[in-house]
Amino acid sequence: MSQPDIQNAGPKIRFVNVYKRLGRQQILRGLDLDVFPGESLVILGRSGGGKSVLLKHLIGLIKPDSGSIFVDGQDISLLNERQLIPIRRKIAMVFQGGALFDSMTVGENVAFPLREERRYSEQEIQERVAEMLEAVGLPGQQEKMPAELSGGMKKRVALARSVIRRPEVILYDEPTAGLDPIMTANIDRLIKEMKKRFNTTSVTITHDMQSAFNISDRIAFLKSGRIQSVGRPEEILKSADPDIQNFIQGVADESDEAIQQLMQSQAS
Ligand SMILES: Nc1ncnc2c1ncn2[C@@H]1O[C@H](COP(=O)(O)OP(=O)(O)OP(=O)(O)O)[C@@H](O)[C@H]1O
Ligand SMILES: [Mg+2]
């Protein structure tokens, strides 16, 4: 993948010394991170380490206790709900769970964000919906109801709905978890396509190392509430850091297990 122009562009997203406590747990402890325009950044880290919490800060769902979060140079940690509206227009988050509107067809679900913008013709909406469904491996499924879909299919519809507006920034929270290898490759392709066609900046959380290396310009490793290392995939792979090496090894085992389970559940 092409390298983002890190030298000449200011960061699209910048976390500066962010601290966040939830309940009795100190989740983020002085986290710093820059994401550059058009960059695809992957975040790796242990389950429960604060990856989803980190992403939720970017759409103002969670506020930092201290520190700042800049989007295009604006500190969004100071904004109220009304002031966050334009930020949320700019940044789409594909949630780990990805709920659909159960009473709407797949096509209506995916079309929803475009209809809300009230500036597209019906024909344009239908074309974009068809294009998105194809991109997530569900061509021609417009008329299905969510109840008729498998978990993985629902997840892909939710993803299509999140990215159909072509937002400047997309946050993907485990977009391929629970998907089979072919669908995983499909979603990886979609993530790369959004970057290539629309210069989308993205932050993706994944436990799938193959995806991580496939889609990322850089990989950041979250540990103990901070970004412990960040670098190009090959640098991370070669890192002498035992935490990173253990993680890469451990995750590889974990995901193999997940694939095994998936194949077993499909066979039964
Ligand atoms: N709203 C909340 N209130 C209290 N604690 C929370 C809240 N959201 C998250 N946590 C806690 O913060 C920690 C980090 O959660 P987070 O969801 O960010 O983990 P994660 O790194 O995304 O893990 P996974 O890989 O399993 O998705 C967890 O211990 C979780 O229980
Ligand atoms: Mg998470």
Side-chain angles (χ1 to χ4, degrees), residues 196-211:
K196 204 165 93 190
R197 278 179 63 193
F198 309 115
N199 197 34
T200 310
T201 306
S202 64
V203 183
T204 306
I205 296 173
T206 183
H207 291 283
D208 181 328
M209 295 309 292
Q210 205 180 334
S211 284

Side-chain angles (χ1 to χ4, degrees), residues 83-96:
Q83 292 165 323
L84 280 169
I85 292 170
I87 302 297
R88 290 177 180 156
R89 219 166 264 150
K90 191 152 34 175
I91 305 182
M93 179 150 171
V94 182
F95 286 95
Q96 220 167 344

Side-chain angles (χ1 to χ4, degrees), residues 94-245:
V94 182
F95 286 95
Q96 220 167 344
L100 298 176
F101 303 118
D102 286 329
S103 60
M104 291 184 194
T105 63
V106 163
E108 288 306 314
N109 264 283
V110 176
F112 190 81
L114 287 190
R115 288 201 200 287
E116 277 207 310
E117 283 189 40
R118 298 175 187 285
R119 59 190 178 96
Y120 299 99
S121 70
E122 189 54 30
Q123 190 192 343
E124 203 169 348
I125 290 175
Q126 293 310 330
E127 279 170 12
R128 294 259 293 257
V129 168
E131 183 191 14
M132 283 314 310
L133 285 177
E134 197 156 316
V136 297
L138 294 167
Q141 307 282 296
Q142 281 87 334
E143 297 311 318
K144 285 253 170 75
M145 295 304 286
E148 300 172 73
L149 305 179
S150 72
M153 290 161 97
K154 282 184 195 160
K155 192 178 170 99
R156 285 180 280 138
V157 174
L159 194 145
R161 187 181 59 187
S162 301
V163 307
I164 194 165
R165 307 187 277 117
R166 300 171 184 167
E168 290 174 33
V169 179
I170 307 179
L171 312 175
Y172 300 96
D173 197 348
E174 301 195 28
T176 60
L179 300 185
D180 68 40
I182 293 168
M183 282 307 152
T184 297
N186 253 335
I187 299 302
D188 287 354
R189 198 173 316 125
L190 172 70
I191 293 173
K192 292 202 282 191
E193 190 70 14
M194 295 300 290
K195 173 191 157 88
K196 204 165 93 190
R197 278 179 63 193
F198 309 115
N199 197 34
T200 310
T201 306
S202 64
V203 183
T204 306
I205 296 173
T206 183
H207 291 283
D208 181 328
M209 295 309 292
Q210 205 180 334
S211 284
F213 284 93
N214 182 7
I215 64 173
S216 65
D217 294 308
R218 289 189 306 152
I219 293 179
F221 188 69
L222 175 69
K223 189 174 178 237
S224 308
R226 306 185 55 146
I227 299 298
Q228 188 177 316
S229 322
V230 54
R232 291 165 49 160
E234 56 276 20
E235 291 168 345
I236 294 292
L237 197 60
K238 280 188 291 195
S239 164
D241 188 324
D243 285 334
I244 294 179
Q245 282 308 326

